[in-house]
Amino acid sequence: MCRVLVVSRSGYYEWKDRPESARASANKRLLERIKTVHKESRETYGVDRVHGQLIAEGESCNKKRVARLMKGAEIRSKRRKKYKATTDSKHNHPVAENLLDRDFSVETPDQVWVSDITYIPTEEGWLYLAAVKDLFQKKIGLVDGRADHEGTGDQRA
């Protein structure tokens, strides 16, 4: 192996038996503190807050060092998804009349159908999902799922 790495045998064993450097042991100790602070924050703190907490606790370290150690250990903050209103109820467009008035009892099939539409965020964009249900059979009759970049083909289930 020494020939492949082009190092002397004595140089290899000297390197192998060398004690850990002061910087490496300090980085290990600091990384443990970083993990503790990150865990205590329920994994919500990023570099800035972890660094601030360490400084507040009397730890002497640079923000770039904290960032490097966090990146090397794959420590990231959990980001809270921001609320986005998806319905605009303040408009002047006509609204369909409520014909059922919350009376969902049906005597025969194909008498009352209800439907809904939703959208699902994916890595490729939005997936729009529509479903139609016969209230008598309590089964979904038609489902159409379409990505926002697709054409207008039906997909029946």
Side-chain angles (χ1 to χ4, degrees):
M1 181 162 62
C2 291
R3 261 184 271 139
V4 173
L5 297 175
V6 191
V7 294
S8 67
R9 188 176 290 174
S10 62
Y12 168 74
Y13 284 107
E14 183 182 329
W15 168 81
K16 185 178 175 230
D17 297 334
R18 186 179 302 152
E20 187 176 61
S21 70
R23 184 63 158 186
S25 60
N27 281 343
K28 276 187 179 178
R29 186 186 56 75
L30 182 59
L31 183 58
E32 289 306 313
R33 285 294 308 127
I34 289 171
K35 287 179 180 179
T36 303
V37 168
H38 188 254
K39 192 147 200 125
E40 287 172 355
S41 74
R42 297 186 313 273
E43 299 180 1
T44 60
Y45 280 13
V47 172
D48 291 335
R49 285 179 154 181
V50 168
H51 176 255
Q53 184 66 32
L54 290 171
I55 295 297
E57 293 175 3
E59 190 73 47
S60 177
C61 58
N62 187 298
K63 189 190 297 189
K64 290 180 183 179
R65 183 178 178 197
V66 173
R68 179 177 45 81
L69 291 173
M70 286 179 70
K71 186 175 183 178
E74 296 184 355
I75 299 172
R76 294 178 190 84
S77 65
K78 289 182 183 176
R79 295 183 184 171
R80 186 178 297 169
K81 289 189 178 184
K82 294 188 178 184
Y83 173 77
K84 180 179 180 184
T86 58
T87 304
D88 177 18
S89 300
K90 298 176 183 172
H91 55 73
N92 295 327
H93 302 295
V95 178
E97 186 181 343
N98 184 359
L99 300 176
L100 289 179
D101 197 29
R102 303 201 56 79
D103 179 18
F104 299 111
S105 58
V106 182
E107 304 298 323
T108 60
D110 295 332
Q111 188 179 7
V112 178
W113 290 75
V114 294
S115 66
D116 195 13
I117 184 168
T118 189
Y119 55 93
I120 305 163
T122 67
E123 289 182 3
E124 296 179 8
W126 293 103
L127 174 67
Y128 296 92
L129 180 67
V132 180
K133 178 179 178 179
D134 181 1
L135 284 183
F136 179 78
Q137 296 177 347
K138 309 284 192 223
K139 291 183 181 177
I140 302 294
L142 174 70
V143 174
D144 184 12
R146 195 174 305 151
D148 59 356
H149 55 79
E150 289 182 3
T152 57
D154 276 352
Q155 298 169 351
R156 297 178 191 268

